[in-house]
Amino acid sequence: MPDVIPSPTQPCSSLKISETILKTGRLDEMIAWYTTVLGVPPFFEHNPDAGTRPLDLGGQTRASDLRMCFFRLSLDFPYVQTIGIFQEPGTGLMPVKDGPGLHHMQLTTSDLDGLCVTYERLLGHGMRPHRSADHGPMTSFYYRDPDGNNVEITAQNFATLEQMIGFMASDAFKANPSGREIDPGDYVAGRRGRTSATPAG
């Protein structure tokens, strides 16, 4: 399959991502983790009556029958964005690395300084990225939630959409879309004008 090079004239889908729903066997741990990462508590939580048995609707359970919650990311109506976590009966506690499903989700900060602030805030909670990279169009720090899901927190490297798309159409990006791996402490320290051994703040 040949590479498809991005351009400003390519059409976008009229459909937008509105919800990302994760299923878990440890809802309380997941709520605590995402509350820390997102910086907000769930705006909605639901606990069904004791003994409720989830209906099976074509292989899909319904939210009303599960312990669950929603986190709000955006109120850009009608394109509101949420992350939901459903406690699905029978869900195991160990991630299955060789199964199909979510590779990672990406959360975007407002700018590179916002990415640094997020890194420092999460570091204060003992949360360190397992991978960090300058991908070219954006810089990203990757974290794992309690279920092992890969959560990418990123910021754009360019000031405009045209600059970003222009770089993504370059031979350099086509040859290496992953960019280069970086040390997050050194990267943040560089933007802060200090050495990585110097504490933040």
Side-chain angles (χ1 to χ4, degrees):
M1 175 184 242
D3 290 340
V4 177
I5 306 302
S7 80
T9 60
Q10 286 179 329
C12 293
S13 172
S14 61
L15 298 175
K16 312 301 178 189
I17 295 175
S18 180
E19 288 183 350
T20 298
I21 306 297
L22 302 172
K23 67 178 182 178
T24 186
R26 49 178 142 227
L27 183 64
D28 294 327
E29 290 178 59
M30 292 283 278
I31 288 176
W33 194 89
Y34 279 92
T35 295
T36 299
V37 169
L38 299 175
V40 294
F43 74 89
F44 180 84
E45 295 186 57
H46 175 70
N47 289 286
D49 294 334
T52 299
R53 298 186 64 180
L55 292 177
D56 186 330
L57 306 171
Q60 177 183 346
T61 51
R62 64 176 190 168
S64 295
D65 299 332
L66 306 173
R67 280 193 68 208
M68 50 80 75
C69 72
F70 289 114
F71 290 89
R72 182 167 281 139
L73 303 183
S74 170
L75 282 176
D76 185 18
F77 192 83
Y79 302 112
V80 296
Q81 295 178 331
T82 60
I83 289 176
I85 308 174
F86 292 3
Q87 182 151 304
E88 188 85 26
T91 301
L93 298 181
M94 296 298 294
V96 181
K97 294 185 178 181
D98 59 353
L102 180 73
H103 183 277
H104 71 279
M105 73 170 78
Q106 184 187 76
L107 304 173
T108 303
T109 60
S110 59
D111 53 29
L112 292 169
D113 287 336
L115 180 64
C116 294
V117 168
T118 300
Y119 167 80
E120 291 168 336
R121 178 174 64 82
L122 296 182
L123 195 63
H125 291 276
M127 300 166 64
R128 298 175 182 270
H130 65 269
R131 179 196 178 198
S132 304
D134 179 346
H135 294 303
M138 57 194 66
T139 297
S140 300
F141 298 159
Y142 294 82
Y143 298 81
R144 292 204 185 276
D145 72 16
D147 279 344
N149 295 305
N150 196 4
V151 179
E152 175 186 6
I153 301 179
T154 192
Q156 297 288 344
N157 287 336
F158 294 100
T160 68
L161 175 66
E162 290 73 23
Q163 290 173 336
M164 181 196 77
I165 290 177
F167 178 81
M168 292 180 72
S170 69
D171 290 340
F173 182 76
K174 183 178 179 181
N176 179 22
S178 292
R180 62 186 179 89
E181 304 303 305
I182 60 175
D183 179 276
D186 289 345
Y187 177 84
V188 172
R191 289 195 63 86
R192 295 284 191 253
R194 53 177 168 77
T195 64
S196 58
T198 304

